[in-house]
Amino acid sequence: MASISIKNLKKSFGAVNVIKGVDLEIKSGEFMVFVGPSGCGKSTMLRLIAGLEDITSGTMEFDGQLVNALAPSKRGIAMVFQSYALYPHMTVFQNMAFGMKLAKNNKDEIKTRVEKAAALLQITPYLERLPKQLSGGQRQRVAIGRAIVRDPKVFLFDEPLSNLDAALRVATRLEIAKLHHSMNNVTMVYVTHDQVEAMTLADRICVLRDGYIEQVGTPLELYEKPANIFVAGFIGSPKMNLMKGKFASPYKANTIGVRSEHLQFVSKDGWAGKVIHAETLGSDSYVFVDIGTEEPVIVRESGTTKHTVGSKVQIAPLKGEVHLFNEQGNSI
Amino acid sequence: MTPAWIKNTAFYAFVVFIVLQAVFPFYYAIVTSFKTGAEIFEISYYPRTFHLDNYYSVLFSGNGSFLRNIWNSVWVSTITVIVALFIAVTASYALSRVRFRGRSLMLMTILCVSMFPQVAVLAGLFEVVRALGLYNTDWSLIFSYTIFTLPFTVWVLTTFMRDLPIELEEAAIVDGATPWVIVSKIFMPLMWPALVTTGLLAFIAAWNEYLYALTFTASNDAARTVPVGIALLSGNSEHEIPWGPIMAASVIVTVPLIALVLIFQRKIIAGLTAGGVKG
Ligand SMILES: Nc1ncnc2c1ncn2[C@@H]1O[C@H](COP(=O)(O)OP(=O)(O)O)[C@@H](O)[C@H]1O
Ligand SMILES: [Mg+2]
């Protein structure tokens, strides 16, 4: 239930500038995902919002109130850490109750809130266990439960799924999405380097690179109208095919980008090339074609493909599905 | 290739040798403590007679001054451990978690200071003790033992605390914990093994210390600790060294230490942090 307004935010550690001037408005009740390659400053952004790091310059407001110097516990936030950070010597119940206990809430109220959160996350049977007696997925739930008990206005997640195996990751992702629906109007800020997580969870995505914001928008906006080559390459799987030189010049662009599902095999007037590899996933196939670009171009076909390795083919983009970029890599 | 049985035999022979040379002096003290009279000066490696006379004489002659010594030792060592651990835990929180200028220099200094031999600082410490008006009191010992225990304790606890995951601390900060709550409610429970180990070592060092105890409580019988008490045990005449009672006294003051080590050994469970962090 809090909107977050960040203006010209900078953060440096000693001489190293990590966040280099960020402006961002996060709406109340929004699910905002920070995504970007490792080391781009996502965690630092999240920790600045949490108040775990001091702001070097710029301002941060929650609901219009300046929070630059406000302690984390006073901001109405809760955070789920990548390593879960459960207190190893406390039971699940104690872990979840710790914050409320420090805030001197009365015992009955603590019990009610913890049990409610536990029920929501289906960890009621484990309340008396120690963290080490739980599986990774259960620990993750406890960490989320601890955050819920704090009844935060802003929920912060730092790569909460990265320690889980693939199947559990998908299941937990779904639960986090459900959690957002069920907790009306809680603002969530979620950090990940995985663009699939970003696409599936986010109301809006904020793509970060090297301490700057590259683009902010809904998943579809980023997918369909990437602001630059970086975003185009980062969002979507497989990566957008990027082509330069003679491929781009007919479009009066420095670089053109075409997603794999927007390429098709044609019988004439296409880009000629040779199939060098084909991946069959059952529902789709990805055909890798060498047409003389730096990296092979990936073409998606539904179903299984009839193009065998070594065969000569021609491919062409669908009309209106070509992204154009200038020399600076920005979209035109 | 040496055959396996030769290797094994050599290995166990070595083990037996080490155990023997470590345990023999104490064993001999025990055996001697049960002898009386002229028997003491005969060399024998196993008990032939069994008398408790020496124990009676140590404990109950001399107006119970030895019991008083034991009590002083318990008091001084215990308070030393409590004070040293309290200071060390708070100091190591600062040294491992708070970033400040000269932190590593300070850590190195602490390490270097712990290498100083006792005698080197005796004169200086004596002046300090006198100036503080602690001379001839038990507090002079608590004061000096704490000073001598701290470098090692701080060093060990700092190393240990530095390895505790930073996210634990941050989770606590988000939960609204103050530094003191973090130290006492989160870190101390996780550092039990280190606390027990360093506390035990501090206790043993304070318990056995002789030089300072002799110097700082020279003219006050009431503040004397066990090592000095034993050294000052006197026989019937000036020229007689009462070996029997000395051995009995040594056994009496060593047994509690061994008991302590055995009790706490079971509590030293490493890897207490396993499970809280990471999957
Ligand atoms: N406490 C710190 N001191 C110095 N440098 C840091 C600190 N925390 C992060 N950095 C640096 O800031 C950059 C961004 O880090 P981070 O926000 O953790 O990236 P990520 O996007 O992978 O989460 C990295 O280059 C990292 O080395
Ligand atoms: Mg990170």
Side-chain angles (χ1 to χ4, degrees):
Chain A
M1 283 162 291
S3 61
I4 302 172
S5 165
I6 296 168
K7 296 207 179 73
N8 197 18
L9 186 73
K10 290 184 185 159
K11 172 68 187 172
S12 43
F13 294 103
V16 189
N17 298 323
V18 174
I19 305 297
K20 301 170 184 170
V22 161
D23 293 279
L24 183 64
E25 301 286 334
I26 303 175
K27 295 178 206 130
S28 176
E30 186 171 39
F31 200 125
M32 170 65 84
V33 175
F34 290 164
V35 71
S38 188
C40 68
K42 309 178 294 289
S43 296
T44 306
M45 277 296 296
L46 199 72
R47 295 159 56 80
L48 286 166
I49 295 175
L52 290 169
E53 302 283 359
D54 293 328
I55 291 169
T56 305
S57 73
T59 61
M60 170 149 359
E61 293 173 359
F62 282 25
D63 283 334
Q65 184 208 351
L66 192 71
V67 296
N68 280 32
L70 205 60
S73 56
K74 300 271 164 33
R75 292 190 183 193
I77 55 123
M79 187 153 172
V80 176
F81 293 87
Q82 185 170 3
S83 65
Y84 317 145
L86 300 176
Y87 311 124
H89 57 296
M90 297 187 195
T91 63
V92 169
F93 184 93
Q94 290 166 332
N95 261 286
M96 291 168 71
F98 190 63
M100 286 189 77
K101 230 170 103 186
L102 290 181
K104 302 223 169 17
N105 285 286
N106 82 42
K107 277 212 169 91
D108 295 332
E109 196 189 336
I110 297 180
K111 197 156 181 286
T112 320
R113 286 250 289 269
V114 170
E115 281 171 357
K116 197 169 146 224
L120 183 69
L121 292 162
Q122 294 153 2
I123 48 175
T124 310
Y126 314 121
L127 280 178
E128 293 313 314
R129 292 207 198 162
L130 289 174
K132 67 173 171 228
Q133 296 164 318
L134 301 177
S135 71
Q138 289 164 342
R139 282 178 210 168
Q140 180 65 77
R141 285 156 188 268
V142 176
I144 295 174
R146 180 170 65 180
I148 292 176
V149 169
R150 292 183 51 75
D151 195 16
K153 291 187 286 186
V154 180
F155 238 110
L156 306 172
F157 296 88
D158 192 352
E159 310 218 10
L161 307 185
S162 60
N163 282 327
L164 302 178
D165 62 46
L168 210 49
R169 204 174 297 167
V170 175
T172 313
R173 197 170 76 201
L174 182 68
E175 288 207 24
I176 291 176
K178 280 196 333 213
L179 191 67
H180 183 234
H181 296 312
S182 67
M183 301 181 73
N184 306 319
N185 280 324
V186 173
T187 312
M188 292 193 171
V189 185
Y190 186 106
V191 161
T192 179
H193 63 266
D194 179 353
Q195 59 92 20
V196 178
E197 259 171 51
M199 295 294 281
T200 50
L201 283 171
D203 291 330
R204 284 197 303 157
I205 296 176
C206 169
V207 182
L208 288 164
R209 176 168 64 153
D210 202 17
Y212 291 109
I213 291 184
E214 292 289 329
Q215 190 174 4
V216 185
T218 65
L220 270 187
E221 276 168 16
L222 297 199
Y223 192 80
E224 289 171 352
K225 298 191 188 67
N228 51 43
I229 291 185
F230 178 78
V231 176
F234 199 82
I235 300 289
S237 170
K239 264 182 75 155
M240 181 187 279
N241 299 300
L242 295 170
M243 291 160 257
K244 290 185 170 207
K246 67 172 182 186
F247 300 101
S249 46
Y251 295 92
K252 301 194 175 58
N254 181 268
T255 307
I256 60 167
V258 190
R259 296 204 182 272
S260 60
E261 67 266 33
H262 299 143
L263 281 169
Q264 58 184 355
F265 293 97
V266 291
S267 46
K268 60 184 173 62
D269 297 337
W271 299 314
K274 205 166 78 175
V275 175
I276 57 171
H277 180 60
E279 288 176 353
T280 311
L281 304 178
S283 58
D284 306 302
S285 307
Y286 293 116
V287 184
F288 292 65
V289 184
D290 181 6
I291 57 170
T293 47
E294 263 173 51
E295 288 175 40
V297 169
I298 305 173
V299 184
R300 194 186 82 176
E301 274 190 297
S302 51
T304 49
T305 179
K306 58 182 191 306
H307 298 283
T308 51
V309 173
S311 58
K312 290 209 158 58
V313 292
Q314 289 198 38
I315 54 177
L318 295 176
K319 243 195 158 63
E321 297 291 0
V322 180
H323 302 272
L324 313 181
F325 303 100
N326 64 16
E327 264 162 61
Q328 287 76 42
N330 293 324
S331 194
I332 41 179
Chain B
M1 284 291 285
T2 336
W5 69 269
I6 294 190
K7 271 193 200 164
N8 276 338
T9 317
F11 175 71
Y12 283 110
F14 193 61
V15 169
V16 166
F17 171 75
I18 288 179
V19 170
L20 268 186
Q21 74 97 26
V23 173
F24 178 76
F26 190 62
Y27 170 78
Y28 201 72
I30 295 175
V31 170
T32 309
S33 73
F34 292 129
K35 298 177 181 172
T36 54
E39 214 190 338
I40 283 178
F41 300 101
E42 291 164 21
I43 295 170
S44 61
Y45 297 111
Y46 50 92
R48 259 179 282 180
T49 55
F50 186 79
H51 301 282
L52 289 175
D53 301 13
N54 292 326
Y55 289 86
Y56 282 118
S57 99
V58 161
L59 289 175
F60 302 118
S61 67
N63 309 322
S65 68
F66 187 70
L67 287 177
R68 169 97 214 165
N69 293 345
I70 291 184
W71 165 247
N72 283 339
S73 275
V74 170
W75 162 254
V76 165
S77 310
T78 308
I79 298 299
T80 300
V81 168
I82 293 172
V83 173
L85 283 187
F86 175 76
I87 299 178
V89 164
T90 42
S92 54
Y93 178 74
L95 286 167
S96 63
R97 286 298 207 254
V98 184
R99 266 180 247 157
F100 57 89
R101 219 173 254 275
R103 181 171 67 167
S104 38
L105 180 73
M106 187 171 237
L107 267 175
M108 287 325 287
T109 313
I110 289 173
L111 191 64
C112 293
V113 164
S114 68
M115 313 270 171
F116 276 38
Q118 273 188 317
V119 207
V121 293
L122 183 62
L125 208 50
F126 188 78
E127 291 302 323
V128 175
V129 162
R130 279 270 288 266
L132 293 175
L134 301 177
Y135 183 62
N136 266 339
T137 68
D138 40 4
W139 289 102
S140 67
L141 300 184
I142 293 171
F143 176 72
S144 51
Y145 295 170
T146 304
I147 287 181
F148 246 82
T149 302
L150 271 178
F152 174 76
T153 313
V154 168
W155 181 265
V156 171
L157 293 186
T158 301
T159 318
F160 203 93
M161 214 182 270
R162 206 185 264 161
D163 288 344
L164 290 177
I166 193 106
E167 290 196 341
L168 268 188
E169 187 182 350
E170 291 177 345
I173 292 175
V174 170
D175 270 339
T178 58
W180 173 244
V181 170
I182 293 173
V183 168
S184 60
K185 296 269 176 60
I186 309 289
F187 284 177
M188 296 220 344
L190 296 176
M191 301 211 314
W192 265 125
L195 290 175
V196 166
T197 313
T198 49
L200 207 55
L201 289 174
F203 190 92
I204 292 173
W207 185 267
N208 288 332
E209 205 285 331
Y210 177 72
L211 182 62
Y212 291 170
L214 183 67
T215 316
F216 296 157
T217 60
S219 43
N220 183 0
D221 295 357
R224 201 165 277 160
T225 53
V226 158
V228 180
I230 292 178
L232 297 184
L233 277 181
S234 49
N236 297 326
S237 75
E238 221 179 296
H239 304 292
E240 184 193 339
I241 297 176
W243 286 115
I246 287 179
M247 290 305 160
S250 309
V251 172
I252 290 174
V253 301
T254 314
V255 166
L257 288 192
I258 294 177
L260 269 183
V261 171
L262 290 182
I263 291 169
F264 281 115
Q265 182 208 22
R266 320 185 94 235
K267 301 238 164 176
I268 302 176
I269 310 156
L272 201 60
T273 51
V277 187
K278 279 268 158 92

